[in-house]
Amino acid sequence: MRAPARELFRDADFPASDSSLLSSFSTPLAQFREDITWRRPQEICATPRLFADNPQEGQVKQGLLGDCWLLCACAALQKSQYLLDQVFPPGQPSWCDQTYRGSFTCRVWQFGRWVEVTIDDRLPCLAGRLCFSRCQREDVFWLPLLEKVYAKVYGSYEHLWAGQVADALVDLTGGLAERWNLKDLARTSGQQAGPGGSEHRTCRQLLSLKDRCLISCSVLSPRAGARELGEFHAFVVSDVRELPGRAGQSILLLRIQNPWGRRCWQGPWREGGEGWSRVDPTDGSELLSQLQEGEFWVEEEEFLREFDEVTVGFPITEAGHLQSLYSDKALCHTQELPGAWVRGQSAGGCRNNSGFPSNPKFWLRVSEPSEVFAAVLQRPRVRAAAGAGRARALAGDERAVWSPASLLGEDYQAVGLHIWKVEKRRVSLPRVLSTPPVAGTVCHAYDREVHVRCELGPGYYLAVPSTFLKDVPGQFLLRVFSSGRVSLSAIKPAAKSPGPGEALPAGEWETVQLRGSWRIGRTAGGSRNFASYPTNPCFPLAVPDGAGPRCVRITLRQHCQDSQCRPIGFHVFQVPVDGGGPGAPCLLLQEPLLSCVPHCYAQEVSRLCHLSAGTYRIVPSTYLPDTEGAFTVTIATRIDRRSIHSRERLGQLLQESSFLAVMKT
């Protein structure tokens, strides 16, 4: 009597249908939907295998889907058994095993945790062959199965069309990835980089990284003579070699793997090209013999000219520690905390905005000299897409809002991160945030994750993640990787300061009003962007000695109708104890202590701040010079100090969530 046939798993959350293939029908994939069939590996070949015995046989190849960015990141798993086991947990069924039921389980890192994703092994095919990704040997299936897992997380295969290699690397490793602009490297080639420059970001650094981490390069737009590289296409840098040239010079060669599976390159280092005449024939024969399908060699100068960007994934040791790209130090101590920008409360925008201090703030305590990487990872905004319910099913209700699908980047805001050194016991936020940070992103970027690297000594630091635009809501994860012991604490949001026209907080206030005007050619100096700025009106403010900083609200109101408002703002400068020199114009060339900018088209702008005892100057201004108008400056000083909104304390006085870093075992 024959045993009943085993019933194979069918994934109802990601069915073998058009809903799993397509979401918006916005890519060329839509034209194939009627011809695509779904087959299990044993229906595609006689003896399917999960992994190849020879790594070259498992090399990635791209199909009809525009997901070269994902496939380049998948190649990282072939460099590390630790990473491969992390994504493909050992003990997966084999097609010839009795335990085989047609399902496979992988793990993908999402917003701070590893999430298990189970799929059936029905794969999209055209004419009986895999139509999306496949390995060099078509009987090896780890790659198309992982691609299907990723498609399920994203909602559909079509949602994989276009993306960043760096994002996929983070999802497959839980680590960090950096993107280097090759045009910047080409411009600074041979020059001495200054502090904070790209002194480590050179092609020769790739020599030491090639065996430890994934290196990818991208073409963003084709140039004359290089159209065979494609447009918006990513490649794997599979090897880097430095050879002695016949003329005594050193030649750096990079081996490039095209996921399309064809060499597609006619440069001087192609097979039979004139470049090989510059090196020893034995060396040339050896390098050419290493080429696999879809690979070719390029020289450093050629590489910098024809490619636009390099993405480097941070190495991860067998013990699971991230490793610095720059010092090779193991970043054994890790911390992470979630945060949010809330409209009207903690979405203060970038440092150009007066609301910047309202952004989420974190204490970072460094216990010993450390190399520190701090990163802000955005959670994409929810959008209606096919598979939204599936994301909920695979990740649980808590994670239902995670939807990484993004074809055009509309799910991400421009974000940045800045870090300040602070005092141990207490800090005045306006004073600290008006000084230069010890580290920060060069600019706000529309990337899923941005990070900064810094060498920090022992002490306390204030980390402030921000969006470029004010009042833009969003959620994020702040991650810290450090070579030394660190702790990370979230500061409880301060009470909201009153806006223009709102009542002052409870308490006793002393109010002074000062009238003034901007006059063409005399006192209409405009903003600090103009050399005429020191001619603006300048009003004195004295804060007497007392038990601590005084709570002061400064309001600037222009006398005009709403329809005639000019953009206005103000800065506050502190006068040095010695008087600061000959007069106000010299003082105004210094950095202000605090500011109410950018200049706003409003009748009234206001700033609530805390000022220590001393002498100050308030300078109201219009944005453009020679803009006439009358105004009033109102200074309200709080007499009793029952609550101070902008001062935070460290330690037990803060209501904070604190986590000590521990060594992973």
Side-chain angles (χ1 to χ4, degrees):
M1 184 175 178
R2 293 181 59 185
R6 290 175 293 176
E7 184 176 353
L8 299 181
F9 173 63
R10 290 172 173 263
D11 186 1
D13 292 324
F14 199 67
S17 66
D18 284 355
S19 65
S20 298
L21 287 173
L22 304 162
S23 54
S24 62
F25 292 81
S26 60
T27 68
L29 187 60
Q31 64 185 298
F32 299 104
R33 70 183 188 277
E34 293 182 359
D35 300 318
I36 289 177
T37 59
W38 298 77
R39 300 192 179 190
R40 297 185 188 269
Q42 66 270 35
E43 298 170 333
I44 299 173
C45 66
T47 56
R49 298 177 291 163
L50 190 57
F51 299 108
D53 298 327
N54 181 350
Q56 292 296 339
E57 296 177 348
Q59 186 170 289
V60 302
K61 292 186 68 175
Q62 185 180 353
L64 295 176
L65 194 60
D67 61 348
C68 54
W69 59 282
L70 169 63
L71 304 188
C72 287
C74 289
L77 304 182
Q78 296 178 296
K79 288 180 173 286
S80 167
Q81 189 63 43
Y82 171 83
L83 291 179
L84 190 62
D85 290 344
Q86 183 85 277
V87 173
F88 273 95
Q92 300 280 349
S94 171
W95 286 272
C96 59
D97 291 344
Q98 291 295 318
T99 58
Y100 169 70
R101 291 293 182 269
S103 66
F104 289 83
T105 299
C106 294
R107 287 194 289 247
V108 181
W109 190 90
Q110 296 183 52
F111 207 71
R113 57 185 275 194
W114 287 95
V115 176
E116 287 196 345
V117 184
T118 298
I119 57 167
D120 64 37
D121 59 356
R122 294 177 293 174
L123 299 170
C125 295
L126 275 175
R129 297 182 64 191
L130 293 171
C131 60
F132 297 151
S133 75
R134 60 186 184 276
C135 294
Q136 193 79 17
R137 282 282 301 263
E138 295 192 30
D139 60 349
V140 176
F141 285 91
W142 73 271
L143 182 63
L145 289 172
L146 181 55
E147 182 185 51
K148 183 174 183 178
V149 164
Y150 217 67
K152 180 175 179 178
V153 172
Y154 268 57
S156 72
Y157 277 95
E158 190 174 43
H159 269 144
L160 303 186
W161 201 291
Q164 291 288 351
V165 177
D167 295 346
L169 274 172
V170 171
D171 289 343
L172 297 179
T173 67
L176 291 174
E178 279 195 3
R179 293 163 58 192
W180 300 351
N181 187 318
L182 289 178
K183 300 315 167 203
D184 289 343
L185 293 184
R187 282 192 294 268
T188 59
S189 180
Q191 301 177 11
Q192 181 67 36
S198 57
E199 65 270 16
H200 294 293
R201 300 180 178 187
T202 66
C203 286
R204 293 188 181 275
Q205 190 200 6
L206 302 181
L207 276 169
S208 62
L209 297 174
K210 63 176 183 177
D211 296 325
R212 297 187 290 125
C213 56
L214 186 281
I215 304 169
S216 172
C217 58
S218 302
V219 173
L220 302 183
S221 59
R223 280 162 290 283
R227 296 186 183 276
E228 59 266 35
L229 292 180
E231 185 176 13
F232 299 109
H233 190 43
F235 304 76
V236 176
V237 180
S238 50
D239 197 6
V240 185
R241 291 290 190 93
E242 190 170 24
L243 300 178
R246 287 185 164 184
Q249 80 280 32
S250 178
I251 298 176
L252 189 72
L253 296 178
L254 300 96
R255 192 169 88 207
I256 310 299
Q257 176 194 340
N258 187 351
W260 285 342
R262 59 179 187 269
R263 293 183 184 174
C264 74
W265 185 242
Q266 297 301 315
W269 296 90
R270 67 186 184 279
E271 190 169 358
E274 62 273 20
W276 299 106
S277 63
R278 296 166 52 195
V279 299
D280 185 275
T282 304
D283 292 336
S285 297
E286 179 194 352
L287 295 191
L288 285 171
S289 68
Q290 296 174 3
L291 292 178
Q292 303 293 319
E293 185 179 0
E295 290 186 330
F296 54 93
W297 290 97
V298 296
E299 191 178 358
E300 179 181 15
E301 181 182 351
E302 184 183 14
F303 180 72
L304 292 173
R305 182 179 67 248
E306 302 298 344
F307 293 89
D308 295 293
E309 190 174 78
V310 160
T311 299
V312 183
F314 279 53
I316 297 181
T317 67
E318 292 301 317
H321 303 314
L322 221 61
Q323 201 170 12
S324 170
L325 291 177
Y326 303 102
S327 67
D328 294 337
K329 292 179 182 176
L331 307 174
C332 302
H333 304 270
T334 63
Q335 289 287 279
E336 60 184 45
L337 282 177
W341 297 289
V342 180
R343 182 182 289 114
Q345 298 181 31
S346 60
C350 66
R351 296 176 68 204
N352 293 335
N353 293 300
S354 58
F356 179 77
S358 67
N359 279 302
K361 295 172 284 294
F362 298 81
W363 292 128
L364 175 64
R365 182 178 182 179
V366 180
S367 301
E368 53 192 320
S370 303
E371 181 180 13
V372 176
F373 291 83
V376 178
L377 174 69
Q378 296 188 70
R379 186 195 288 268
R381 291 171 288 176
V382 183
R383 72 186 219 172
R390 301 179 201 122
R392 183 178 297 106
L394 67 94
D397 289 340
E398 176 191 351
R399 308 192 56 75
V401 295
W402 172 259
S403 173
S406 176
L407 296 179
L408 301 176
E410 70 264 27
D411 285 339
Y412 300 119
Q413 292 297 323
V415 296
L417 173 65
H418 295 85
I419 299 174
W420 283 266
K421 182 77 169 67
V422 297
E423 300 297 329
K424 180 177 180 181
R425 292 300 304 169
R426 63 181 64 183
V427 59
S428 168
L429 285 180
R431 177 166 300 190
V432 169
L433 298 183
S434 66
T435 62
V438 297
T441 49
V442 175
C443 63
H444 285 67
Y446 286 98
D447 292 331
R448 194 180 78 172
E449 186 169 41
V450 298
H451 72 264
V452 295
R453 171 190 177 268
C454 44
E455 297 281 351
L456 299 181
Y460 291 90
Y461 297 84
L462 180 68
V464 184
S466 62
T467 57
F468 180 73
L469 297 176
K470 186 179 179 181
D471 284 332
V472 172
Q475 295 177 294
F476 64 87
L477 185 70
L478 178 63
R479 302 198 288 160
V480 175
F481 301 86
S482 174
S483 60
R485 290 176 292 121
V486 295
S487 63
L488 187 64
S489 307
I491 298 176
K492 181 182 178 182
K496 179 179 179 290
S497 299
E502 296 181 19
L504 291 168
E508 184 180 353
W509 294 80
E510 180 181 76
T511 302
V512 175
Q513 289 190 334
L514 305 169
R515 295 178 66 88
S517 61
W518 298 291
R519 292 288 178 259
I520 294 176
R522 298 174 60 189
T523 59
S527 66
R528 294 182 69 230
N529 294 336
F530 302 95
S532 56
Y533 175 76
T535 65
N536 278 302
C538 186
F539 297 96
L541 168 63
V543 177
D545 292 332
R550 292 293 183 95
C551 185
V552 179
R553 180 178 175 184
I554 302 171
T555 302
L556 171 63
R557 181 180 180 83
Q558 57 179 321
H559 302 163
C560 65
Q561 297 179 359
D562 288 342
S563 61
Q564 299 174 338
C565 284
R566 308 287 189 181
I568 60 172
F570 63 84
H571 298 281
V572 179
F573 298 83
Q574 185 168 20
V575 179
V577 177
D578 59 5
C586 180
L587 174 69
L588 302 191
L589 296 177
Q590 303 175 16
E591 285 294 314
L593 175 69
L594 58 92
S595 304
C596 185
V597 291
H599 290 69
C600 296
Y601 284 92
Q603 267 203 334
E604 185 175 291
V605 294
S606 183
R607 174 75 190 268
L608 186 69
C609 56
H610 290 81
L611 300 176
S612 301
T615 304
Y616 303 85
R617 296 287 187 270
I618 302 172
V619 183
S621 63
T622 55
Y623 179 71
L624 293 175
D626 293 333
T627 303
E628 289 204 335
F631 61 84
T632 298
V633 172
T634 302
I635 306 170
T637 305
R638 190 168 187 168
I639 297 176
D640 66 342
R641 299 176 56 255
R642 286 181 294 186
S643 67
I644 294 179
H645 297 289
S646 295
R647 189 178 71 187
E648 311 288 357
R649 292 177 180 271
L650 293 168
Q652 296 302 316
L653 297 181
L654 266 183
Q655 296 184 30
E656 62 185 8
S657 173
S658 181
F659 299 87
L660 294 176
V662 296
M663 184 79 73
K664 288 186 177 179
T665 57

